[in-house]
Amino acid sequence: QVQLVESGGGLVQPGGSLRLSCVISGFTSSRKAVSWCRQAPGKERELVATITLADGRTTYKDPVKGRFTMSRENGKDWFYLQMNSLQPEDTAVYYCKAATWAGYVYWGQGTEVTVSS
């Protein structure tokens, strides 16, 4: 059974940092990419960052470029999202997503991030 488990969310002041973790298990098919997405209250879920597993290339959406860094633990299915210079508009539930070459998509349960003074 495929599982994606996120952790690391919480309450942080503007300008602060958090590191989110995603542990993936149970995959038997080849994966194409792992992403972090977020959904703010009243808004649609949006893509934040993606690691393409074939070459390790990481891409970021404009609102988080230069502030967020996505990485992978060497040799493991652990993925991180280091978030620096957090702002109130970063408040959202953050989700880990895994996509396979066959077109299947798997989601974690999400971890909540609140940026507020």
Side-chain angles (χ1 to χ4, degrees):
Q1 181 180 357
V2 173
Q3 283 191 313
L4 289 77
V5 180
E6 304 99 329
S7 61
L11 173 64
V12 63
Q13 292 187 342
S17 298
L18 281 176
R19 189 176 82 153
L20 306 183
S21 300
C22 173
V23 178
I24 300 176
S25 62
F27 264 98
T28 57
S29 58
S30 180
R31 286 164 297 148
K32 178 180 180 180
V34 175
S35 303
W36 283 100
C37 302
R38 67 185 181 185
Q39 187 166 17
K43 295 188 177 181
E44 293 188 353
R45 194 170 297 188
E46 63 175 358
L47 182 65
V48 173
T50 298
I51 286 181
T52 303
L53 298 181
D55 58 10
R57 188 170 60 98
T58 307
T59 56
Y60 302 92
K61 288 299 186 183
D62 284 346
V64 307
K65 280 182 180 177
R67 299 189 299 124
F68 290 11
T69 303
M70 184 175 181
S71 62
R72 181 183 186 182
E73 189 80 23
N74 285 340
K76 296 179 186 268
D77 265 343
W78 301 351
F79 295 83
Y80 304 103
L81 185 68
Q82 177 66 43
M83 307 186 294
N84 299 328
S85 302
L86 284 162
Q87 300 302 317
E89 52 266 33
D90 296 314
T91 294
V93 178
Y94 284 72
Y95 297 90
C96 185
K97 182 183 83 169
T100 71
W101 287 102
Y104 294 101
V105 175
Y106 299 86
W107 293 92
Q109 83 288 349
T111 185
E112 189 168 0
V113 172
T114 302
V115 185
S116 175
S117 55

